[in-house]
Amino acid sequence: MKRGFLALCGAVIVATLAGCASRSLPPPDAAPPASPPQTRPETLPPLTGSLNHPKSRWVPVNWTELPGFGDDALHEAWIALVANCARPNAAFAPLCGEVRQLALADADGQRGWMMQRLQPYRVESLAGQSEGKLTSYFEPIYDATRRPTATNTIAVYQPPAGLAPRRAWYTRQEIDTLPEAQAALRGREIAWMSDPIDVLMLQIQGSGRLRITEPDGSRRVVRLAFAGSNEQPYRSVNQWLLSQGVTRINPWPDATKDWVAQNPQRLPQLLWSNPRYVFFREETMNEVDAAFGPRGAQGVPLTAGRSIAVDRESIPYGTPVWLASTGPVAQLQKLVVAQDTGSAIVGAVRADYFAGTGPDAGRLASRMDQSLRLWALWPRQLAAP
């Protein structure tokens, strides 16, 4: 298994480097020492002064404040850091040459480099609150057909003509009921699915994979990537169910499907409780694509267990982050990278944890709702982001 993992890492790193070669990136720094010195955290005092963002304040701290920093399997996180260097933020870009060269270094070498080159900052709200909430999302996999069938009657759509950012389009209810909305979507169908809750889940997650049966009977797996929304507000279906007196809403979506089976006449009400509607574009996948998740808002592929969605007014895309979360679902103390966002991910100490692809990731994501602390890791040579 270890040889297989290293082979996958090698393929991912080679593919990422190839992708980077086609972009205009800053030249890498000089190569780091072959064996980075093992710096003790207490020998590097924190920089003085907090850094302010529109929705957060970053307070400099010693590395010793980061829970579990000495125990993380950093080689897993390094895949996300290398992917990050395909589209780094301006502060992290000068470090990308060193990051790539350390991709196959041991954990001590990677940890020593982090302590030399990065400064940890505790992320707080502007009011000084350092504890927030962690949820999770995933990339679902569903069966679909290219054309409608007797069972597959619900379309997944490309964006309609005229859809524009920050301009409201029809609500979910209007899309389902107004002839003019339906006319605008005619011919924009990507594929057809059978379960309306699965389609809703696909839209809530913002991406997914479809095992599509083509008209000739052949099957292939494609990725659906986020391509736009109707710019209506997101409303939680779980919260709507709670308002209806439902007490068992997890595991989502199984409990929701059970409720729909018992209340089929109320399915439209449930769906329309969330006016937000998401449109997709179809992407083909090769072997390397399949090893990663979908591209996040930063524009790089997400890494299972190592990518998070954040409020970009609190943490810029491409920022390495130390994450600590304690709860009934998981005990997490690990390095992640801020590479995505979401309409429900708002606030200073708020993150959505990318759990991966498929049913197991979905089960974890559906249950995750627990406390969170975050530390942004910013290049030491910079005074401000």
Side-chain angles (χ1 to χ4, degrees):
M1 289 182 65
K2 184 175 182 181
R3 287 195 299 272
F5 175 78
L6 291 175
L8 174 61
C9 288
V12 167
I13 291 166
V14 169
T16 303
L17 291 177
C20 292
S22 66
R23 296 177 173 87
S24 177
L25 295 177
D29 285 357
S35 300
Q38 304 306 303
T39 308
R40 295 174 61 84
E42 56 268 27
T43 66
L44 290 176
L47 300 175
T48 57
S50 300
L51 305 181
N52 293 319
H53 291 263
K55 291 185 180 178
S56 68
R57 179 174 63 241
W58 294 5
V59 180
V61 299
N62 283 309
W63 285 96
T64 48
E65 181 174 304
L66 278 57
F69 178 65
D71 303 323
D72 190 24
L74 291 179
H75 65 276
E76 297 175 3
W78 227 260
I79 297 173
L81 286 177
V82 171
N84 187 52
C85 283
R87 297 191 67 176
N89 62 43
F92 200 77
L95 302 182
C96 280
E98 298 175 18
V99 167
R100 296 186 188 104
Q101 291 178 33
L102 285 166
L104 296 180
D106 61 23
D108 287 339
Q110 292 169 341
R111 193 171 287 110
W113 177 88
M114 289 174 63
M115 290 188 291
Q116 288 184 336
R117 300 294 262 151
L118 304 177
Q119 167 64 46
Y121 291 84
R122 184 174 62 249
V123 179
E124 299 179 349
S125 71
L126 298 177
Q129 175 60 251
S130 61
E131 186 166 306
K133 182 169 81 166
L134 180 68
T135 52
S136 181
Y137 66 121
F138 77 112
E139 183 184 37
I141 305 175
Y142 296 120
D143 291 321
T145 54
R146 187 65 74 181
R147 294 177 179 169
T149 68
T151 56
N152 288 23
T153 59
I154 306 165
V156 179
Y157 292 104
Q158 303 174 57
L163 192 74
R166 295 180 295 279
R167 191 172 75 190
W169 205 63
Y170 298 105
T171 66
R172 183 180 296 273
Q173 181 175 356
E174 291 168 340
I175 289 170
D176 286 347
T177 59
L178 293 183
E180 54 267 39
Q182 295 166 7
L185 291 172
R186 195 167 298 123
R188 309 299 292 171
E189 301 89 349
I190 296 174
W192 299 77
M193 295 171 58
S194 63
D195 192 316
I197 301 301
D198 289 343
V199 175
L200 178 64
M201 172 64 83
L202 187 66
Q203 294 186 347
I204 290 173
Q205 301 305 314
S207 63
R209 302 184 191 188
L210 294 184
R211 294 182 290 244
I212 295 184
T213 301
E214 300 287 358
D216 63 2
S218 63
R219 300 188 75 191
R220 64 192 185 108
V221 179
V222 302
R223 171 168 277 146
L224 295 189
F226 179 88
S229 79
N230 60 352
E231 297 290 347
Q232 298 286 346
Y234 170 80
R235 298 284 184 264
S236 168
V237 170
N238 278 354
Q239 291 300 314
W240 183 84
L241 286 168
L242 288 172
S243 74
Q244 304 302 303
V246 177
T247 56
R248 182 180 177 271
I249 58 175
N250 281 316
W252 162 266
D254 295 342
T256 303
K257 291 183 179 183
D258 290 343
W259 183 88
V260 169
Q262 296 168 17
N263 303 273
Q265 74 286 357
R266 301 191 68 192
L267 172 61
Q269 265 187 290
L270 180 142
L271 296 174
W272 297 342
S273 70
N274 177 22
R276 189 173 178 83
Y277 201 96
V278 170
F279 304 100
F280 300 95
R281 66 175 179 274
E282 180 178 334
E283 297 179 347
T284 58
M285 291 196 303
N286 58 33
E287 188 175 344
V288 174
D289 295 329
F292 277 104
R295 291 181 183 272
Q298 184 193 0
V300 302
L302 304 178
T303 302
R306 297 293 177 170
S307 297
I308 59 172
V310 297
D311 187 332
R312 65 182 304 182
E313 292 190 313
S314 172
I315 300 175
Y317 295 150
T319 302
V321 176
W322 191 260
L323 178 152
S325 179
T326 301
V329 177
Q331 310 299 310
L332 301 173
Q333 297 177 347
K334 63 195 310 185
L335 176 63
V336 296
V337 186
Q339 295 177 321
D340 204 2
T341 193
S343 58
I345 311 306
V346 179
V349 190
R350 179 73 174 93
D352 214 16
Y353 177 82
F354 179 63
T357 300
D360 289 342
R363 281 186 280 273
L364 172 66
S366 69
R367 296 164 49 227
M368 182 79 74
D369 187 351
Q370 54 190 51
S371 64
L372 173 69
R373 290 181 293 158
L374 297 173
W375 291 262
L377 310 181
W378 201 250
R380 291 183 64 86
Q381 70 270 24
L382 297 178

